[in-house]
Amino acid sequence: MVSPRLVAKIESEEPTLRLAVLIDADNAQAAVIEGLLAEIAKFGEATVKRIYGDFTAPTSASWKKVLQRYAIKPMQQFAYTTGKNATDSTLIIDAMDLLYTRKFDGFCLVTSDSDFTGLAMRLREEGLTVLGFGEKKTPDAFRNACHKFVFTEVLRPTVEPAATTVKVVSDQNIENGQKSTVNALPAEAVEQKTEFPKKSVLAALEQSVDDTGWAHLGTFGSYLTRLQPDFDSRLYGYKKLSDLVKTKTDIFVTEERPAPGSSQKVLYLRAR
């Protein structure tokens, strides 16, 4: 079950959680750190920020450049022997030490390693919110052990694409022996996107509708997170969940209603 604190955060604009951020340097990329911390700030305050790894190794050079800038405390862990990951053990021990201080509402585990699945489950048993951050290669076991899992690919810095086009040549041009660039398309427009989980989305909508058959967007979002912790509208080209449901007119019917006691409007939706 999703933590009540996380549900409150989904439906609120204010950070509500005191978070411990633990980063596995062996299984995370330094390029995402700015976007990562900005994402964590949406959920609450990063009270503790620690990163674990062997920072004498050349593979950790990129992390050493950002630690001071973002006030992340490095936890040096030498590799005692080849083929054994001492970093994992140190991170888990620290997580349990922090857990028993009872000062935190939740933990952010930044890793793509399924070895932390047990840690995530243990933290949840204590009633704490567990937020996971990792690459798309992260095994399902760890993703589903978290209340919410965010793919770090969507947190990478946005790079302006080069003016590259894909040549689309019509049949008529081919017959005439011409090589015109009719209907030139941006290269990124032909990239394959993540398959949309329509079944999970409709299941969440079914669970969140009221007696009239309509669901409040916040209620729908919280149910969807319970069913699929790694769901993220940004994977499908939409910055917000509201933008996604408004665009998916083949699945949803949306309606904006005045919020009680406010001049603002709230979004409701139902299945088409």
Side-chain angles (χ1 to χ4, degrees):
M1 183 175 181
V2 176
S3 165
R5 294 190 182 96
L6 183 56
V7 174
K9 172 60 203 141
I10 292 172
E11 298 179 350
S12 170
E13 294 298 326
E14 296 299 325
T16 58
L17 306 178
R18 288 172 54 85
L19 301 169
V21 180
L22 307 181
I23 305 171
D24 176 12
D26 296 337
N27 287 284
Q29 301 296 322
V32 305
I33 188 61
E34 184 173 357
L36 172 70
L37 295 178
E39 186 74 13
I40 291 171
K42 296 179 182 179
F43 295 95
E45 179 187 0
T47 307
V48 167
K49 291 179 289 185
R50 297 180 183 178
I51 185 168
Y52 301 79
D54 183 1
F55 300 101
T56 63
T59 53
S60 298
S62 58
W63 276 113
K64 288 190 289 186
K65 297 177 182 179
V66 301
L67 296 184
Q68 287 188 335
R69 186 190 313 168
Y70 295 102
I72 303 172
K73 183 178 181 180
M75 309 298 288
Q76 171 63 32
Q77 183 59 56
F78 294 101
Y80 295 123
T81 183
T82 304
K84 299 294 183 180
N85 194 344
T87 300
D88 291 6
S89 300
T90 305
L91 191 156
I92 292 171
I93 291 170
D94 266 15
M96 298 308 293
D97 287 343
L98 293 171
L99 165 66
Y100 290 122
T101 66
R102 306 299 179 187
K103 294 180 179 179
F104 302 95
D105 301 310
F107 282 73
C108 298
L109 304 179
V110 186
T111 182
S112 300
D113 192 343
S114 63
D115 289 348
F116 294 102
T117 302
L119 173 61
M121 294 173 65
R122 181 69 182 87
L123 295 172
R124 290 188 64 157
E125 289 175 358
E126 291 291 326
L128 300 183
T129 297
V130 180
L131 305 173
F133 300 84
E135 298 177 351
K136 289 185 178 180
K137 66 181 181 180
T138 306
D140 290 342
F142 179 62
R143 295 189 207 174
N144 294 327
C146 302
H147 286 104
K148 177 67 179 174
F149 187 88
V150 178
F151 291 109
T152 53
E153 283 85 352
V154 304
L155 304 178
R156 291 182 179 277
T158 303
V159 179
E160 290 296 328
T164 305
T165 59
V166 178
K167 294 182 179 181
V168 181
V169 183
S170 67
D171 294 338
Q172 184 177 359
N173 295 138
I174 295 175
E175 291 175 0
N176 296 335
Q178 300 174 353
K179 296 182 179 180
S180 61
T181 58
V182 180
N183 299 327
L185 302 175
E188 61 270 22
V190 297
E191 290 182 1
Q192 186 176 3
K193 293 185 177 181
T194 304
E195 183 179 356
F196 186 73
K198 184 176 179 179
K199 184 177 180 181
S200 296
V201 167
L202 290 176
L205 183 56
E206 183 180 356
Q207 294 294 322
S208 56
V209 296
D210 57 22
D211 294 338
T212 65
W214 289 84
H216 183 278
L217 180 67
T219 305
F220 166 67
S222 65
Y223 271 105
L224 184 55
T225 300
R226 295 178 193 180
L227 289 177
Q228 190 166 335
D230 59 2
F231 182 88
D232 193 323
S233 59
R234 291 169 294 187
L235 292 172
Y236 313 102
Y238 303 95
K239 186 176 180 180
K240 298 179 180 179
L241 180 60
S242 58
D243 296 333
L244 185 149
V245 300
K246 288 178 182 178
T247 307
K248 294 284 186 180
T249 54
D250 58 322
I251 302 176
F252 306 108
V253 177
T254 60
E255 181 180 290
E256 290 188 343
R257 304 177 185 176
S262 172
S263 60
Q264 296 182 344
K265 292 186 176 181
V266 293
L267 186 67
Y268 282 79
L269 64 152
R270 63 176 175 85
R272 180 168 291 282

